[in-house]
Amino acid sequence: MTTRFSLRTTAFALSGALALSSCASPVAGGGDTPGTSGATTSVSLGVVPVIDVAPIYLGKEKGFFSKRGIDLRLETGQGGAAILPGVMSSQLTFGFSNMTSLLVARDKGLDVKVVANGTSSTGKSGGDFGAVVVRGDSPVQNAKDLAGRSVAVNTLKNIGDTTVRASVRKAGGDPAAVKFTELAFPDMPAALAKGNVDAAWVVEPFLTMAKNQGARVVAWNFVDTAPKLTVAAYFTSAKVRTEQPDLVRRFTEAAKESATYATAHPDEARQAITSYTKITKEQVAALTLPDWPAEVNRESVAVLADLAPQDGLVSGKPDLTALLP
């Protein structure tokens, strides 16, 4: 069963999480014993209800977690920046977050660590799972024209605004002139159609929904940023890594097996998407799936680490060794 998890994505929430992490209750019950002993560890994972996390839902269904003694409970949040405080305050054992939010978290002093790759760009302009869209009648023709316009992103200071700025920069526009507005992915197609925002960065299934409503793509922001960009990953806190290292190992193994299986069985991955979104089987068949490699593309994350200080998201060059496995 999937439940709703909600935390606001502000600096106050992140700093509050840092304070709470030292005194919170245990994040996983049932001990840190492998599944072969017959014991089961209850694990909560914060995810975003987009197609990126299809392998986890599929892996849970296939028993990749349960065979390792993990009783996985999936809880949904608006974005990685909202899930971060939940992990740091021990409300969640693991979380799913875009890489930029994780870089920002470490810059704020939060000891987060990637434990498994999440999702990656296909690297194909015209065939990726995320893009910037505008209304069909919009005067915006390309990424350069986004300067001075309002662009919706699911959470501020995450991989959305970072990669949109990268597209604007690459097209010769002023990335600092883009005005970002925070909206949940499901609300973006309607907001765009009503003219409440000039453009929206959307990922599947909302990209296909927006295009079906007449929106058109003006930038493939992941592709513009880096080849085969690692977009998001699964992470945990120092508390979990220190107190339950075997649990982390088992979760990582299950997540990797899930990614490998989803890559080899895309039709089953599409079916899994219908279990946690409101799209139909017919609609999901038209979606562009992301790539789900088992390992993080470190070179692409290094690009994000270079962009973060340029965009004023972090105070200095991020330490990727501390963040990545």
Side-chain angles (χ1 to χ4, degrees):
M1 178 181 294
T2 303
T3 55
R4 173 65 61 177
F5 176 78
S6 178
L7 282 172
R8 296 302 300 164
T9 59
T10 64
F12 293 103
L14 286 171
S15 60
L18 181 61
L20 284 169
S21 63
S22 63
C23 59
S25 58
V27 292
D32 192 14
T33 52
T36 53
S37 69
T40 299
T41 305
S42 178
V43 170
S44 56
L45 169 62
V47 296
V48 185
V50 290
I51 68 171
D52 308 45
V53 297
I56 290 294
Y57 282 85
L58 185 56
K60 179 180 180 180
E61 176 189 333
K62 291 294 179 181
F64 299 156
F65 291 90
S66 61
K67 76 179 182 180
R68 292 177 171 89
I70 294 175
D71 178 17
L72 187 65
R73 185 175 73 254
L74 297 166
E75 304 190 17
T76 59
Q78 183 168 320
I83 291 169
L84 270 160
V87 174
M88 298 310 299
S89 64
S90 298
Q91 296 177 52
L92 298 169
T93 319
F94 297 96
F96 176 83
S97 175
N98 70 84
M99 294 304 306
T100 297
S101 288
L102 292 175
L103 292 169
V104 172
R106 286 208 64 91
D107 184 66
K108 291 181 178 295
L110 302 182
D111 191 2
V112 295
K113 181 82 171 184
V114 169
V115 297
N117 190 44
T119 187
S120 299
S121 165
T122 66
K124 300 174 183 177
S125 182
D128 205 9
F129 75 102
V132 182
V133 296
V134 297
R135 281 176 32 159
D137 60 357
S138 171
V140 176
Q141 298 299 315
N142 52 45
K144 182 178 181 179
D145 295 338
L146 293 173
R149 311 277 183 173
S150 60
V151 179
V153 293
N154 68 319
T155 52
L156 299 174
K157 295 186 176 182
N158 81 351
I159 201 165
D161 43 26
T162 294
T163 54
V164 170
R165 286 193 183 101
S167 288
V168 174
R169 189 180 289 113
K170 183 177 181 180
D174 179 6
V178 180
K179 305 170 185 176
F180 291 102
T181 299
E182 185 174 293
L183 285 176
F185 281 129
D187 298 332
M188 290 186 190
L192 185 66
K194 294 177 182 177
N196 295 339
V197 291
D198 298 314
W201 165 61
V202 286
V203 296
E204 295 285 21
F206 310 105
L207 174 57
T208 293
M209 291 179 182
K211 290 166 69 176
N212 287 343
Q213 294 175 13
R216 54 184 172 81
V217 174
V218 293
W220 298 94
N221 49 309
F222 292 156
V223 181
D224 289 340
T225 303
K228 293 284 187 175
L229 177 68
T230 290
V231 176
Y234 297 96
F235 71 98
T236 194
S237 64
K239 179 180 177 67
V240 173
R241 297 199 315 274
T242 301
E243 297 182 1
Q244 303 181 86
D246 187 66
L247 173 63
V248 173
R249 176 187 62 79
R250 287 183 279 137
F251 177 88
T252 299
E253 289 178 354
K256 287 185 176 182
E257 184 174 7
S258 300
T260 300
Y261 188 88
T263 298
H265 302 85
D267 289 342
E268 291 187 47
R270 290 180 187 276
Q271 177 61 33
I273 293 168
T274 64
S275 71
Y276 62 92
T277 67
K278 295 181 180 180
I279 59 177
T280 66
K281 292 181 180 179
E282 292 73 24
Q283 290 171 327
V284 79
L287 304 182
T288 299
L289 296 179
D291 282 357
W292 291 303
E295 304 295 337
V296 171
N297 180 342
R298 301 180 74 91
E299 290 76 15
S300 72
V301 179
V303 173
L304 294 176
D306 288 337
L307 290 175
Q310 288 185 47
D311 294 333
L313 300 181
V314 297
S315 57
K317 181 77 177 283
D319 181 3
L320 295 186
T321 302
L323 175 63
L324 301 180

